[in-house]
Amino acid sequence: MQLSSMEGDLLSVDYDSSEEEEMDEERVVVSETSKPNSKKSGGFGGMFGMLKGLVGSKNLTREDMESVLEKMKDHLIAKNVAADISAQLCDSVAKKLEGKVMGTFTTVASTVKQALQDSLVHILQPKRRVDILRDVMEAQSQRRPFVITFCGVNGVGKSTNLAKISFWLIENGFTVLIAACDTFRAGAVEQLRTHQRRLNSLHPPERHGGRPMVQLYEKGYGKDAAGIAMEAIAYARNQAFDVVLVDTAGRMQDNAPLMTALAKLIAVNMPDLVLFVGEALVGNEAVDQLVKFNQALADHSMSGQAPPY
């Protein structure tokens, strides 16, 4: 049997469909500048190509930058950056450039890059220190377990992510007690029991003095979640567990009874950390979902304040 052969060259693959549009935008901007033959761009294209119109010998004003900033904002939104974050980034660029003279394109590009970097660092900087391993060791020194509560809407993978964090914790030598406080969803307790069994198979009790690294605290279905969490934390303190991971039922932020129950669980047990588990596939909607969930939790809490995320 003779194998057939293919002839001809392979066509190049276009990895970014928006590249051609960016080049078109760059050509339009260049044609509007007074120095179309400038070759000092250093290969800058796309978003930075829009900045060529800012090169000149006068002090830049907000009006001079308005059209360029609008294009930059549209470009960021097209790249799936949230609208409010895009506006915040463009505003930081405007503040950095306002009142300055930009003699060359390289100066403009470097200034804008620095402004974007500073703004991104400010936006992404957490409002509180998140160092779980160090916090767990601090709780150990106080002879108490470190408590983490998992919450979020239905079906986003709270129990699965809880198991992943359990694995990370036992890999670092900590013992974990899982509190099964999802007393509504059928199979929730059985799912956690499966995770517990598989985690302990990775770290057999024989390697740790006969004690399982992960244990499950459960009281079945239809019970008060806040009460189960309280009992689990007390059990963990008596049995010298390092960490308690509290699994809760999924709920939407507009479900008042379930949000009230979650607020009660947090208010009664005062966990050290509350983790909101969101779905990455929803994109920027996840941030809006978290804000609304956080606000709903604060509205239904006795103190009127949201827990520390």
Side-chain angles (χ1 to χ4, degrees):
M1 181 176 65
Q2 183 178 1
L3 296 176
S4 61
S5 60
M6 297 180 65
E7 297 180 356
D9 297 330
L10 291 175
L11 297 176
S12 60
V13 179
D14 185 7
Y15 291 100
D16 189 358
S17 60
S18 63
E19 183 178 353
E20 186 176 346
E21 297 176 4
E22 294 175 357
M23 292 176 65
D24 291 339
E25 290 178 359
E26 183 177 349
R27 283 195 291 269
V28 172
V29 174
V30 171
S31 65
E32 293 175 354
T33 61
S34 59
K35 298 179 181 180
N37 58 349
S38 175
K39 296 183 180 181
K40 296 182 179 180
S41 63
F44 287 113
M47 186 175 71
F48 288 101
M50 305 172 189
L51 305 172
K52 292 184 178 181
L54 301 179
V55 177
S57 57
K58 67 170 187 175
N59 294 331
L60 290 174
T61 64
R62 192 67 181 241
E63 290 73 21
D64 297 330
M65 298 180 285
E66 202 64 45
S67 61
V68 176
L69 292 174
E70 196 62 35
K71 288 181 182 179
M72 184 183 294
K73 180 181 175 182
D74 293 340
H75 182 85
L76 290 170
I77 293 174
K79 295 298 182 181
N80 202 29
V81 179
D84 55 340
I85 299 298
S86 300
Q88 194 171 336
L89 290 172
C90 291
D91 187 58
S92 68
V93 170
K95 290 178 180 178
K96 196 80 171 181
L97 295 178
E98 194 169 6
K100 294 185 178 180
V101 178
M102 296 296 160
T104 65
F105 172 70
T106 305
T107 307
V108 179
S110 60
T111 304
V112 171
K113 269 189 170 182
Q114 188 60 47
L116 289 173
Q117 180 178 328
D118 294 342
S119 184
L120 285 170
V121 169
H122 177 74
I123 291 170
L124 297 174
Q125 191 75 27
K127 294 181 174 59
R128 56 166 290 183
R129 176 179 61 83
V130 181
D131 188 345
I132 295 178
L133 295 180
R134 186 167 68 176
D135 291 341
V136 171
M137 288 188 285
E138 288 181 3
Q140 276 183 327
S141 65
Q142 301 170 10
R143 298 183 180 277
R144 67 175 184 84
F146 186 82
V147 182
I148 305 176
T149 298
F150 292 76
C151 63
V153 299
N154 308 72
V156 295
K158 291 181 295 299
S159 302
T160 303
N161 280 279
L162 182 148
K164 292 178 180 179
I165 291 181
S166 296
F167 174 73
W168 175 62
L169 289 168
I170 63 176
E171 283 283 298
N172 283 276
F174 298 115
T175 54
V176 176
L177 179 67
I178 300 175
C181 294
D182 183 354
T183 59
F184 295 95
R185 178 173 62 89
V189 177
E190 288 75 13
Q191 181 183 7
L192 292 176
R193 188 175 290 115
T194 300
H195 287 316
Q196 176 216 2
R197 185 174 65 251
R198 292 180 175 175
L199 288 168
N200 282 325
S201 67
L202 296 173
H203 284 265
E206 297 78 28
R207 298 181 188 173
H208 305 279
R211 180 182 181 180
M213 293 294 285
V214 181
Q215 292 188 38
L216 177 67
Y217 190 93
E218 56 96 3
K219 291 292 183 179
Y221 295 96
K223 306 291 179 61
D224 178 47
I228 295 175
M230 180 182 293
E231 293 176 12
I233 294 170
Y235 177 82
R237 185 181 291 109
N238 293 334
Q239 299 297 319
F241 280 92
D242 299 317
V243 185
V244 177
L245 302 181
V246 181
D247 186 40
T248 64
R251 66 204 76 208
M252 296 298 294
Q253 62 270 11
D254 57 356
N255 189 319
L258 288 181
M259 290 304 298
T260 302
L262 180 60
K264 175 188 173 184
L265 185 150
I266 293 171
V268 169
N269 296 287
M270 292 185 294
D272 298 284
L273 182 65
V274 178
L275 290 182
F276 176 86
V277 182
E279 190 174 12
L281 293 177
V282 301
N284 291 317
E285 181 65 23
V287 178
D288 184 58
Q289 193 177 71
L290 173 57
V291 171
K292 291 179 180 177
F293 196 94
N294 195 45
Q295 186 58 50
L297 198 55
D299 292 341
H300 291 90
S301 67
M302 291 179 284
S303 63
Q305 295 180 347
Y309 281 89

